[in-house]
Amino acid sequence: MALIGAGADLPGMLDAIVRMVEAEDPTILCSILLLDETGRRIAPGAAPSLPDSYNNAIYGIEIGPDVGCCGTAMFTGQRVVVEDIATDPLWAAFKTLAQGAGLASCWSEPIRVADGAVVGSFAIYHRTCTAPTEEDIAFIEAAAELTSLAIERDRDRARARQATEREVEAARDLTTFFEISADLLCITDFQSQFVRVNDAWTRVLGWSRAELEGQSYLDFMHPDDREATLAEAQIFQHGHEILAFRNRYRTVTGEYRVLEWQARQSNGLVYAAARDVTAQVEVAREMEAAREAAELANQAKSDFLANMSHEIRTPLNGVIGVIDALARTELSGAQREMVDLIRESGVNLAALVSDILDLSRIEAGGLELEEAVFDLGEALGGALAMARLNATAKGLNFRSYMSPAAQGRFRGDGLRLRQVLGNLLSNAVKFTETGTIAVELDCEVTPEGGEVLSCSVSDTGVGFDPTQADQLFQRFNQIDATMTRRFGGSGLGLAICRSLVERMGGEISAESRPGEGSVFRFTVPLRREAVGGEAPRATAEPATAPGARPLHVLLAEDNLANQKVVELLLSPFDIVLETVENGAQALEALRRDAFDLVLMDLQMPVMDGLTATRSIRHWEAERSARRTPIVVLSANAMAHHCAEALAAGADLHVAKPLTGAALLAGIEQALDHRGAA
């Protein structure tokens, strides 16, 4: 809008409109195409994000009833929506061209000027097959309208320039200039009175010359705009011009129109020209409202995911925790089989919740990668062992090879590498009925002296069409509905893999043919750690308290099932557990007794966990008391929840659902932190 108001050239305005619309949604590509002077062929407008080869190929094509989306929209004057370019007959002659540009769907809106004539089209392209929502339709209509305003403004300026040149050459008469101008022209004095106005005032606002001339322009202005207008007029005292200043003038019917002014003073008078920009202002307001609505919707989605994660994790904590504790007891063969089935179902459900949580973190930019030293074989060994067991149970062969170059210790995020490999292996086993799963890991030295981990996972499964390879890495996507019904899954795993690999600076790809299996490859840069450093140690149970006495632990948890889960998981160890139901009781317990560790829930009545943690740290600081390690146990597992817990003074955040291994590792880490402090 600023470019339109400032009088930028048409190519610049069209380019700015396309880039503005694309900035609202980074997944789309846009183009503005115009009709040439004959009104029958496609001419350039603006398409900065489309390949030059594509643009150059369509310029000069004659429009018609089956000329893609844009040529058809300009020919029929109707919106054209094509969800799948590859199969739609409108694109029969151009689908190879579209495929080369990576375009899968196109929505095109004809651009009409004030007299109703179609002068071009505004198109939105997607790289995946997509249908527009009602909001999308409103969005593309607003974009086409904004483009129309830019074209009209450019034509108006061209017409005004031509009219001015003709009249100046013919008579150079100020009166004639006033009569023919489409702009609202006026001459005023420094007492804010109209000295002279042109007929455009009557056309736009309805006031006659007699009603305006000799009157103060402040009487026709919106009261809220008078002070700013007078302040702007003061710049004439210093010989400056007014450019693109806006205020509101009342029409003869009592409505207000937004006028945009350019003015200068000469010989004690002010010469000014105004353009009615009410429509442009309304379009800008609607687009801003649409942007704010989209932001609110995105925030609502994030809040919903966070709440659902908490609500699902809380009961799931009882299921997984109790089953984990039950598995440690003496069971018959049939009982252990049932426990294993329940545990597997719980683990699968927890993995789905984690996938949703990871996706929401990635979308919000809140997924943090860990920078730590890890042994590559140890980091990936668990994923390989689990895949081998699952493949063997399904009757598949499983082969894995790690080259000598890939062995050793590196610095990076071993947990996320294991997550990527685990997802790829899980898919390979799921989509393979007979044959072999094979994994190869290698490291290559780059010219810069760094190292790149390369991994390939191949299978002899169902495979897929090569043209659908990129679709697999889109969120919520599987190749088709039949595979979804047959194999299940949320369609999140590969999307998360791509996001994680790209966040680590790597690349991921897939190759396949239907019925011939698939090969998934990814590469990630790593830094090799010098030999001799101390590797992270794993512990099987928490450290004991000083003097070899039982560990005294305080649990603040209001949910009875979660209380029982922690009690069952810690019962095999030399731990004395005391339980309270809210943060206020936890603070009171610490004031009367010493504890080696506090396990703190976040959502509790009376006093929540964050408030309780801050109160404990404040109480310790006032008395110079020993710092008690605090481990937050919470179903609030979003990135900002973890950050809030640490900021409040917690030593660690452990997400529910809990397993014995996760709880014990958290306790051990918090006690180690106490020792280091």
Side-chain angles (χ1 to χ4, degrees):
M1 292 303 297
L3 284 174
I4 296 174
D9 63 284
L10 182 61
M13 289 189 289
L14 299 185
D15 187 85
I17 290 171
V18 168
R19 294 183 186 277
M20 178 184 67
V21 174
E22 289 179 340
E24 293 295 319
D25 185 356
T27 66
I28 65 174
L29 306 174
C30 299
S31 75
I32 296 173
L33 296 177
L34 304 176
L35 286 172
D36 66 4
E37 61 277 3
T38 69
R40 298 194 303 270
R41 296 186 179 277
I42 296 174
S49 299
L50 291 174
D52 290 339
S53 57
Y54 179 84
N55 292 329
N56 294 332
I58 64 175
Y59 295 153
I61 293 176
E62 186 170 353
I63 63 174
D66 56 356
V67 183
C69 289
C70 297
T72 304
M74 287 188 278
F75 182 82
T76 63
Q78 301 293 322
R79 181 187 311 117
V80 176
V81 174
V82 170
E83 300 176 16
D84 187 354
I85 288 175
T87 60
D88 198 283
L90 293 181
W91 285 81
F94 312 100
K95 63 181 181 181
T96 301
L97 181 63
Q99 182 179 358
L103 308 179
S105 64
C106 177
W107 319 330
S108 185
E109 182 78 15
I111 300 170
R112 297 181 182 272
V113 290
D115 61 4
V118 175
V119 297
S121 68
F122 190 101
I124 292 179
Y125 302 88
H126 286 264
R127 297 193 183 281
T128 58
C129 297
T130 306
T133 64
E134 291 183 2
E135 292 181 354
D136 293 330
I137 295 300
F139 187 62
I140 193 172
E141 287 177 345
E145 176 65 20
L146 184 60
T147 306
S148 172
L149 293 174
I151 294 173
E152 283 281 14
R153 185 60 184 270
D154 184 72
R155 290 184 171 187
D156 286 345
R157 287 200 304 268
R159 286 192 291 265
R161 286 194 301 268
Q162 293 169 1
T164 300
E165 292 169 358
R166 286 194 304 267
E167 294 304 323
V168 168
E169 291 175 359
R172 298 184 181 275
D173 182 34
L174 180 61
T175 301
T176 305
F177 169 76
F178 261 53
E179 295 302 329
I180 67 170
S181 176
D183 290 337
L184 288 79
L185 304 180
C186 66
I187 302 173
T188 70
D189 58 26
F190 282 113
Q191 285 71 48
S192 307
Q193 285 188 332
F194 285 117
V195 175
R196 189 173 182 182
V197 298
N198 69 341
D199 288 340
W201 288 82
T202 303
R203 293 194 298 270
V204 176
L205 301 180
W207 303 106
S208 68
R209 286 185 174 184
E211 291 173 309
L212 295 172
E213 292 177 350
Q215 303 299 315
S216 172
Y217 56 71
L218 297 175
D219 294 338
F220 299 88
M221 192 180 300
H222 194 290
D224 294 343
D225 294 345
R226 292 172 184 172
E227 184 177 348
T229 301
L230 289 173
E232 191 74 13
Q234 293 300 315
I235 70 172
F236 287 127
Q237 302 292 334
H238 306 286
H240 297 294
E241 295 181 355
I242 289 179
L243 297 173
F245 174 75
R246 292 180 178 180
N247 55 19
R248 291 164 290 178
Y249 271 74
R250 189 177 70 255
T251 69
V252 73
T253 61
E255 301 174 352
Y256 284 91
R257 307 294 293 177
V258 180
L259 303 183
E260 185 175 84
W261 291 92
Q262 296 188 44
R264 67 169 58 186
Q265 64 93 9
S266 177
N267 298 323
L269 294 175
V270 176
Y271 297 83
R275 175 61 56 92
D276 182 4
V277 294
T278 307
Q280 295 94 312
V281 170
E282 184 61 27
V283 169
R285 185 182 296 115
E286 291 174 356
M287 293 190 69
E288 177 64 19
R291 184 188 63 80
E292 292 177 355
E295 290 178 352
L296 289 174
N298 189 55
Q299 182 60 46
K301 180 188 69 175
S302 297
D303 293 342
F304 173 77
L305 286 174
N307 291 334
M308 288 304 298
S309 172
H310 178 273
E311 294 304 316
I312 295 173
R313 284 175 180 273
T314 298
L316 193 58
N317 181 58
V319 174
I320 293 180
V322 172
I323 288 299
D324 192 64
L326 183 60
R328 301 170 186 265
T329 64
E330 292 292 332
L331 300 171
S332 67
Q335 290 171 331
R336 184 160 298 281
E337 183 178 359
M338 288 186 286
V339 167
D340 288 342
L341 287 173
I342 298 173
R343 178 160 55 184
E344 181 180 356
S345 298
V347 168
N348 289 338
L349 182 55
L352 177 59
V353 174
S354 296
D355 280 349
I356 296 173
L357 184 60
D358 278 346
L359 182 64
S360 63
R361 286 174 175 170
I362 291 168
E363 288 184 339
L367 183 67
E368 299 294 335
L369 296 178
E370 183 181 86
E371 185 75 11
V373 178
F374 64 93
D375 183 277
L376 189 58
E378 293 178 0
L380 304 183
L384 292 170
M386 181 62 67
R388 184 182 299 277
L389 288 174
N390 292 336
T392 302
K394 201 173 179 180
L396 304 174
N397 298 319
F398 186 89
R399 298 198 307 267
S400 64
Y401 171 74
M402 177 179 286
S403 73
Q407 298 174 18
R409 297 172 59 214
F410 296 84
R411 180 172 291 275
D413 195 329
L415 177 63
R416 295 303 180 183
L417 281 175
R418 181 168 68 241
Q419 181 178 356
V420 173
L421 179 60
N423 276 343
L424 297 181
L425 288 170
S426 176
N427 280 350
V429 174
K430 179 166 65 173
F431 291 105
T432 303
E433 297 297 334
T434 60
T436 301
I437 309 294
V439 184
E440 292 187 7
L441 295 158
D442 195 9
C443 266
E444 297 180 0
V445 178
T446 65
E448 294 77 18
E451 295 195 48
V452 174
L453 170 67
S454 62
C455 174
S456 69
V457 176
S458 60
D459 62 63
T460 55
V462 295
F464 53 87
D465 191 290
T467 61
Q468 298 173 312
D470 189 62
Q471 177 185 344
L472 286 175
F473 295 101
Q474 303 294 325
R475 58 187 180 182
F476 308 115
N477 248 328
Q478 288 188 335
I479 291 179
D480 58 39
T482 59
M483 293 190 70
T484 303
R485 289 193 296 268
R486 180 182 176 189
F487 295 102
S490 63
L492 297 178
L494 290 178
I496 292 173
C497 285
R498 183 174 69 174
S499 296
L500 291 176
V501 168
E502 291 178 351
R503 285 287 301 277
M504 289 186 283
E507 298 178 348
I508 189 168
S509 62
E511 297 177 5
S512 181
R513 290 187 180 278
E516 298 181 11
S518 307
V519 180
F520 286 80
R521 297 184 177 88
F522 71 87
T523 59
V524 172
L526 292 176
R527 286 185 295 161
R528 187 176 292 275
E529 186 71 9
V531 178
E534 181 181 355
R537 64 186 181 92
T539 57
E541 59 182 66
T544 57
R549 61 175 173 80
L551 203 64
H552 196 190
V553 175
L554 175 65
L555 170 65
E557 170 65 70
D558 63 311
N559 186 285
L560 294 178
N562 290 340
Q563 292 177 4
K564 191 63 178 178
V565 166
V566 175
E567 178 185 334
L568 290 171
L569 293 177
L570 297 183
S571 60
F573 305 101
D574 195 14
I575 293 176
V576 176
L577 183 67
E578 181 175 333
T579 302
V580 295
E581 296 182 353
N582 58 62
Q585 293 178 359
L587 180 60
E588 183 61 31
L590 280 168
R591 286 173 174 169
R592 70 170 182 265
D593 200 357
F595 290 88
D596 297 302
L597 182 84
V598 177
L599 301 176
M600 182 76 71
D601 186 28
L602 287 186
Q603 291 191 3
M604 295 182 291
V606 184
M607 181 184 289
D608 63 81
L610 292 178
T611 303
T613 300
R614 285 190 288 266
S615 299
I616 291 170
R617 295 303 182 220
H618 180 70
W619 178 79
E620 291 172 343
E622 281 186 336
R623 291 157 180 75
S624 300
R626 176 182 65 87
R627 189 179 194 277
T628 304
I630 299 177
V631 177
V632 166
L633 308 178
S634 176
N636 290 329
M638 303 290 283
H640 67 275
H641 293 138
C642 301
E644 288 171 354
L646 298 179
D651 296 272
L652 191 65
H653 182 290
V654 177
K656 297 174 182 175
L658 298 173
T659 63
L663 179 58
L664 296 177
I667 293 174
E668 181 71 17
Q669 184 176 341
L671 293 175
D672 284 349
H673 184 269
R674 175 196 63 183

